[in-house]
Amino acid sequence: MKIIYAIVGSDDGNRVTDVLTDHHFSVTRLATTGGFLKKGNSTLMIGTEEEQVDHAIELIRDTCGKRQKITCDIPAPNIGSISAGYVMMPVSVELGGATIFVTDVERFEKF
Ligand code: 2BA
């Protein structure tokens, strides 16, 4: 048996937990904090058989993989200026990503 620890962004934590659960994986989600940025993230613990590990990682990659999003939320002063002097410029930002550890489980019991 293996345990997968997957650290994902807080925004992705709920969705990937649902996807894994829908595919019959048992998941525990912990609210965690990154040591460097001190921002909230989610750590999933997934105990599963070795032959299922690749499937779980594929689901995590499909749900949380790095992706680009176009947003207009960042104001760019005085470019193509409108009356207030500001215009919302669309910019591409990177979202998502996961850090995954897979380790052996020495003993597993449930009561
Ligand atoms: P990532 O490498 O994608 O890591 C995202 C989060 O995953 C980390 O949050 C941490 O919670 C976890 N993580 C990553 N690698 C880990 C490991 N080897 N052991 C345990 N947990 C691990 P943060 O620590 O807040 O880091 C956020 C982002 O800041 C990192 O993204 C990386 O791009 C950058 N970063 C982290 N540590 C850095 C450092 N010492 N110097 C420069 N940049 C750093």
Side-chain angles (χ1 to χ4, degrees):
M1 189 178 196
K2 300 279 185 183
I3 190 145
I4 304 168
Y5 295 97
I7 304 161
V8 303
S10 299
D11 293 345
D12 287 335
N14 240 341
R15 281 187 315 120
V16 70
T17 301
D18 288 347
V19 168
L20 288 163
T21 304
D22 288 349
H23 286 80
H24 310 293
F25 286 98
S26 290
V27 182
T28 297
R29 181 155 65 98
L30 307 170
T32 47
T33 306
F36 188 68
L37 295 181
K38 311 279 189 286
K39 264 186 66 180
N41 51 28
S42 292
T43 299
L44 311 180
M45 291 170 50
I46 307 144
T48 190
E49 296 309 321
E50 184 164 5
E51 52 275 19
Q52 289 299 319
V53 167
D54 286 345
H55 184 209
I57 291 175
E58 193 182 306
L59 294 171
I60 297 167
R61 183 181 292 116
D62 289 349
T63 314
C64 305
K66 287 195 190 300
R67 55 211 185 263
Q68 300 292 320
K69 183 184 175 204
I70 306 290
T71 177
C72 289
D73 285 349
I74 301 170
N78 299 323
I79 303 170
S81 170
I82 50 177
S83 59
Y86 285 87
V87 65
M88 298 309 231
M89 295 294 292
V91 290
S92 175
V93 293
E94 191 174 77
L95 299 177
T99 301
I100 294 178
F101 303 89
V102 181
T103 64
D104 289 325
V105 174
E106 197 172 302
R107 180 167 165 172
F108 173 66
E109 294 192 26
K110 255 193 228 187
F111 301 99

